[in-house]
Structure formats: structure tokens, C-alpha cells
Amino acid sequence: MIDFVPSITYEQGKAYCRRMASLVLDPQLVELRLPAKDKERLYCAIAQRISEINQELATHLGHCQQCFYPQQQLSLQIFAVPFAPHLNIDGLCNLNTQPMTILIDVGRMVRRDWLAAVVHEYAHAQTGEKGHHDRFFQNLTHLCLGLGLTPPSPNLTSELQHWPPCQPTRDPLAFWLGD
């Protein structure tokens, strides 16, 4: 049997995932339990495409920022990251980092819905607190209207956790594995 010799690309992807684990509230959120062969594919695929993916997310973040006056714009950073599949997390906003951090698992939704996921997490950042309450609803509505997305209904606050809706992918890890 030949020992695995990590490539530079593999090491870059692994380092990226380690960095993302340092930005979440619990590093287990990005702990992917994969066979070694799949981890190699995952890290290599991440290293090869992550700059392009993160640039697209940064563009979406910029659109969100433009919905607010300059003095209301936040100091934020945004990254794509694969979350542990069993947790069913599409995105999160870590209010405890400086700058605040938005993380999106872009493998969990179709590409045209990435903006919707960024909008949801940006609304959390604007409130400065977790939860789906009145201030979150107001910020989310403001962003949706400003970016041409359907705003949430004031009568259906139970939908806020998943608003704006995103079409899920069949296999979130397939995207990250480069399939």
C-alpha cells in the first residue's frame, strides 16, 4: 500500500477548513466525518475553487451593505464553508468575532439562492443578536425589498427561520467534493 502524500492543494484546503473552524462558535459545526479518500477530494476541491466562491459571496454581502446608509454598514467578513451535514445548517452569523463573520454552506442550496442565504445572515448581523424577532423581521424585510427578494409575511413569523426560502440540493457534500 502506498502512503498518502499530501499535495500543496490538499494542505491549502485543509488549512482553509481549520481557519473556518476557528470562526464558528463550535468547531464541531465544520467537522466532516469522511473517509480519508473523500477528505482528500474535499480539501483539494475547496482549495481550487474557494477564492471564486468567496468572491461571489462577498459580492452578495456588498449588495446587502448598499441597502444601508454608510454609517449603518457593518464590519463583516464572509466565507463559504461545509457544515457537518447532520446538523442541517445553511448559514450562521458569528457576532463574537471582529469583524463579525458570516459563514454559508453553499453546498446546501442551489447557486441562485446564495444571495438569499447571505441576506438572512446579514439581517442577523444588523440586529446584533441571535433569534428571529421583530428587529430581525424589520431588517430582513428591508433587505428583501432592497434586493428584489420577496419579503416575509408579517403574519407568518414562524417562517423567519427559513426566509428567504432556498432550494436545497440533494447532496450538500457533492458540491464540496467537486461533483
Side-chain angles (χ1 to χ4, degrees), residues 120 131-138 140-141 151-163:
H120 182 95
H132 301 96
H133 40 67
D134 286 342
R135 282 189 53 219
F136 173 81
F137 171 80
Q138 292 165 358
L140 184 63
T141 299
S153 169
N155 301 327
L156 299 173
T157 54
S158 61
E159 290 181 356
L160 288 180
Q161 185 175 356
H162 303 287
W163 201 271

Side-chain angles (χ1 to χ4, degrees), residues 1-12 14 36-37 39-41 43-44:
M1 182 173 171
I2 299 173
D3 288 333
F4 170 68
V5 179
S7 67
I8 292 173
T9 305
Y10 170 88
E11 291 297 336
Q12 289 170 334
K14 186 175 181 181
K37 182 181 87 174
K39 271 200 176 174
E40 179 184 357
R41 279 182 52 212
Y43 291 148
C44 289

Side-chain angles (χ1 to χ4, degrees), residues 13-155:
K14 186 175 181 181
Y16 178 83
C17 288
R18 261 196 318 269
R19 181 169 176 239
M20 294 304 104
S22 74
L23 294 173
V24 294
L25 302 170
D26 179 355
Q28 290 184 351
L29 294 175
V30 294
E31 185 178 299
L32 302 174
R33 298 177 186 120
L34 297 172
K37 182 181 87 174
D38 287 339
K39 271 200 176 174
E40 179 184 357
R41 279 182 52 212
L42 174 88
Y43 291 148
C44 289
I46 286 174
Q48 291 169 354
R49 303 178 334 171
I50 201 63
S51 292
E52 173 191 326
I53 294 165
N54 282 338
Q55 182 56 49
E56 187 170 337
L57 291 179
T59 298
H60 294 320
L61 179 63
H63 294 313
C64 291
Q65 292 275 45
Q66 291 172 1
C67 290
F68 292 88
Y69 293 113
Q71 63 272 22
Q72 295 173 307
Q73 294 175 3
L74 304 170
S75 176
L76 288 165
Q77 58 186 355
I78 189 166
F79 302 102
V81 62
F83 289 120
H86 67 281
L87 299 174
N88 294 321
I89 298 173
D90 295 345
L92 67 83
C93 179
N94 187 345
L95 303 169
N96 299 320
T97 59
Q98 191 54 277
M100 285 186 275
T101 304
I102 293 176
L103 298 168
I104 305 289
D105 187 340
V106 295
R108 295 189 55 79
M109 67 208 69
V110 297
R111 193 174 207 130
R112 71 175 179 271
D113 289 338
W114 291 4
L115 173 62
V118 174
V119 163
H120 182 95
E121 297 309 324
Y122 190 92
H124 280 297
Q126 270 294 332
T127 65
E129 53 192 49
K130 61 183 179 177
H132 301 96
H133 40 67
D134 286 342
R135 282 189 53 219
F136 173 81
F137 171 80
Q138 292 165 358
N139 284 315
L140 184 63
T141 299
H142 177 78
L143 286 160
C144 286
L145 292 172
L147 295 170
L149 300 171
T150 304
S153 169
N155 301 327

